[in-house]
Amino acid sequence: MRLVMNEPVERTGRPYPRRWWALLVLCLSLLIIVMANTALTVAAPDMTRDLGLSSADLQWVIDGYTVPYAALMLLLGAIGDKYSRRGALILGLTVFGGGAVFGYVADSSTTVIAARAVMGFGAALIMPATLSLLTATFPRAERAKAITLWTATAGLAIAAGPVVAGALLRDHGWSSTFLINVPIAAVAIVAALVLVPPSKAGHSERIDYVGGLLSVVWVGALVYMIIEGPHFGWGAKAVTAAVVAGLGLIAFVGWELRHPRPVLDVRRFADRRFAGSNLAVALFFLAVFGAFYYLTQHLQFVLGYDALETGVRMLPLAGAVFVGSALTGWLTPRVGMRWTVGAGMVGGTVALALLTRVDAGSTYGDFVAPLVVLGLAIGLALSPCTDAIMGSFPESELGVGGAVNDTSLELGGSLGIAILGSLLATSYGDHLTSSTKGSGLPANALDTARDSVGAGYAVAQGIGDKAHALAAKAAAATDPQQAAQLKQQATQLASGAHRMAEAVGASFSDAVAHTSLIGAVILAVGTVVVTVLLPGREKTGAVETAEVVEAAGVGESAEAADDAKDAVAAEPKPAPEPAPAPKSAPEPAPESAPDPDAEPAETAAK
């Protein structure tokens, strides 16, 4: 057996025998790029304290990864299709690992943001490559199952990131959350060379670089606007980004409609199945990333769990994703994509609706049911949508297909954090102002506390520290009158610190409930739109494959069934070869004695 797999999967003529091992490599690659985002949510407090990050700095530490990741995927997916999908995966893992090393040694906000941007570039190579290699490696009869496992891995990574980061933060600094990616990336590179077969498109046409660059401009500007506007105000930067995004999108669509071989055929969005699947992915991750953003904060700040404890308490979501994914494989062939995806989106709406009951007295037990329901919903909805999106692209454009799916995911996630995060911050600030009215808290301290729940507790902690300092002075004072005054002031400050902490917790809990209500309404409206767009039960995907397998005959290989399906689906049909003369045709009369060479031509002419 060769150490490095060099035979392209397109030339094997049969299913790749080690395809499930290859899937493990692809899922491992997916795991680290998703965990790179979710792990940062629990490492952020330590990073903020050590580097002295402002609120704006921290926001760009998080989103410095997202902008290049979302903007570059379509162009890099097309490049991977043309030259090498496995090469794109390996290069992406190398760049991602290099960015992680850069992040480990970073010692300022600027260098951390730069490191995150490098990792985002690597992720933009990795993400579409994983889906395109999966689709190219697996026969059609097994793709839905493989995509289900791929989706379940993404759900696992959402919950596993905080667990891994929390475990590292127990004994190491925040920089260890960067370094952990390096050995994983190295293992994935070696395993990709050994287990993942090379693959690329069968055509040699030039890439539509103009369309690709226009996609980078409009997607990058849109993501920048989504980040900048809600968090930092609709100033010149946000408005300029909005204008660039709009003009870039118009130019992109116009160019792609006229180009003979566009980087993305935008006419595909006229297909209800394709458009509905992309909308479902975007809306679902809007809800998931938005909810994840404020749930981790509530568990850490309000309920007081450390990083590891927070990660462990998010694990019910990961387990439910696997259960939901298993249900998808059983339900979709029986009831159709519309009802499976619709059920998942309804489940996501219910999960957010359950979070509207959160208040100052809520405990972790109040979060278990929403986490489980949300995990089941992820498993139900996302696998069929990803399968439908990838199935809309020919074999020569699988990298582009993966990029479209992943761009929808990233845009949805960015919108979720921006929209729901902005609503959360506004609601929290308003509730805190009402709760502390008449408390005598200095205006500058209130402004600081309104910035975030972490800042609110820091203000309360600062008041408490002053109370302890005054109490210590009272104990050391020799003048009884002075000691009594200091003690009284210390008591008042301690009481004020306690009230401030209670006000911060109650205000944030109320903000979580209010934001969850808005998120539930958005997802409910989206559910109606998606279920209208998606087709009902039809002979596509797993159902069609099952019928083709049955028609191909019991005991035939998956390859034979795959070929049978290709034959059924192929349009237009090739012209049939001229049929030989039927055996029952009458023999020529002996007395005519025709020329044997002329007879077939005459018969064929007739």
Side-chain angles (χ1 to χ4, degrees), residues 379-561:
L380 281 172
L382 294 183
S383 297
C385 291
T386 300
D387 194 17
I389 292 169
M390 294 304 296
S392 300
F393 288 86
E395 299 290 322
S396 60
E397 298 178 21
L398 295 178
V400 173
V404 170
N405 179 83
D406 302 331
T407 301
S408 296
L409 186 155
E410 276 303 305
L411 287 177
S414 298
L415 280 169
I417 293 174
I419 294 174
L420 298 185
S422 179
L423 288 170
L424 179 81
T426 301
S427 179
Y428 163 73
D430 292 344
H431 279 95
L432 186 62
T433 300
S434 299
S435 299
T436 56
K437 189 174 182 179
S439 64
L441 189 70
N444 60 341
L446 178 59
D447 289 341
T448 301
R450 282 168 50 91
D451 186 58
S452 67
V453 62
Y457 278 115
V459 168
Q461 180 66 41
I463 297 172
D465 290 343
K466 289 181 180 179
H468 287 303
L470 286 175
K473 285 184 179 180
T478 56
D479 184 356
Q481 186 176 1
Q482 182 185 20
Q485 290 177 346
L486 290 172
K487 186 175 181 180
Q488 183 180 9
Q489 292 175 4
T491 302
Q492 291 174 346
L493 282 175
S495 177
H498 180 70
R499 289 197 304 271
M500 183 65 187
E502 286 186 337
V504 169
S507 298
F508 193 78
S509 298
D510 291 340
V512 166
H514 179 259
T515 306
S516 297
L517 177 61
I518 303 299
V521 171
I522 293 173
L523 195 54
V525 173
T527 300
V528 175
V529 176
V530 167
T531 51
V532 169
L533 285 175
L534 291 178
R537 187 179 180 186
E538 55 181 9
K539 293 182 179 180
T540 56
V543 176
E544 184 181 3
T545 301
E547 292 185 357
V548 171
V549 170
E550 183 178 352
V554 177
E556 290 192 7
S557 66
E559 180 189 0

Side-chain angles (χ1 to χ4, degrees), residues 18-32 89 130 134 137-138 146 149-150 153 156 184 187-188 191-192 195-196:
R18 292 189 289 175
R19 56 192 178 278
W20 295 105
W21 287 104
L23 178 62
L24 181 63
V25 179
L26 301 179
C27 288
L28 181 64
S29 304
L30 171 68
L31 188 74
I32 60 172
L89 175 66
T130 59
L134 182 156
T137 304
F138 280 83
L149 293 173
W150 183 92
T153 301
L156 173 65
I184 300 175
V187 170
L195 297 171
V196 178

Side-chain angles (χ1 to χ4, degrees), residues 206-534:
R206 289 188 60 188
I207 295 174
D208 173 21
Y209 282 108
V210 173
L213 291 174
L214 286 173
S215 76
V216 173
V217 170
W218 84 261
V219 174
L222 178 62
V223 174
Y224 182 88
M225 178 203 74
I226 290 170
I227 296 166
E228 183 75 19
H231 290 289
F232 307 116
W234 292 97
K237 292 181 180 179
V239 172
T240 301
V243 173
V244 171
L247 294 176
L249 176 60
I250 293 171
F252 173 74
V253 172
W255 177 269
E256 297 300 271
L257 287 173
R258 291 180 300 184
H259 197 278
R261 193 173 185 89
V263 69
L264 171 62
D265 186 357
V266 294
R267 296 177 184 86
R268 283 194 174 91
F269 285 95
D271 176 66
R272 291 169 55 184
R273 181 185 182 91
F274 182 77
S277 297
N278 278 284
L279 180 61
V281 170
L283 285 171
F284 214 89
F285 271 89
L286 184 153
V288 169
F289 274 60
F292 194 85
Y293 175 74
Y294 55 75
L295 285 179
T296 52
Q297 292 186 66
H298 196 282
L299 291 174
Q300 284 185 279
F301 291 110
V302 179
L303 298 185
Y305 296 117
D306 65 21
L308 179 58
E309 291 168 341
T310 298
V312 169
R313 281 161 178 78
M314 296 296 290
L315 287 178
L317 182 142
V321 169
F322 278 94
V323 175
S325 299
L327 288 173
T328 293
W330 183 83
L331 281 174
T332 306
R334 288 164 175 79
V335 301
M337 179 183 177
R338 172 189 291 173
W339 297 111
T340 306
V341 175
M345 296 188 73
V346 168
T349 304
V350 169
L352 291 178
L354 289 172
L355 290 172
T356 61
R357 302 180 305 169
V358 171
D359 57 27
S362 296
T363 64
Y364 171 68
D366 297 307
F367 292 91
V368 174
L371 287 173
V372 170
V373 174
L374 187 60
L376 287 171
I378 293 171
L380 281 172
L382 294 183
S383 297
C385 291
T386 300
D387 194 17
I389 292 169
M390 294 304 296
S392 300
F393 288 86
E395 299 290 322
S396 60
E397 298 178 21
L398 295 178
V400 173
V404 170
N405 179 83
D406 302 331
T407 301
S408 296
L409 186 155
E410 276 303 305
L411 287 177
S414 298
L415 280 169
I417 293 174
I419 294 174
L420 298 185
S422 179
L423 288 170
L424 179 81
T426 301
S427 179
Y428 163 73
D430 292 344
H431 279 95
L432 186 62
T433 300
S434 299
S435 299
T436 56
K437 189 174 182 179
S439 64
L441 189 70
N444 60 341
L446 178 59
D447 289 341
T448 301
R450 282 168 50 91
D451 186 58
S452 67
V453 62
Y457 278 115
V459 168
Q461 180 66 41
I463 297 172
D465 290 343
K466 289 181 180 179
H468 287 303
L470 286 175
K473 285 184 179 180
T478 56
D479 184 356
Q481 186 176 1
Q482 182 185 20
Q485 290 177 346
L486 290 172
K487 186 175 181 180
Q488 183 180 9
Q489 292 175 4
T491 302
Q492 291 174 346
L493 282 175
S495 177
H498 180 70
R499 289 197 304 271
M500 183 65 187
E502 286 186 337
V504 169
S507 298
F508 193 78
S509 298
D510 291 340
V512 166
H514 179 259
T515 306
S516 297
L517 177 61
I518 303 299
V521 171
I522 293 173
L523 195 54
V525 173
T527 300
V528 175
V529 176
V530 167
T531 51
V532 169
L533 285 175
L534 291 178

Side-chain angles (χ1 to χ4, degrees), residues 140-158:
R140 281 184 175 85
E142 296 176 344
R143 280 180 195 168
K145 184 185 296 184
I147 287 175
T148 296
L149 293 173
W150 183 92
T151 305
T153 301
L156 173 65
I158 291 173

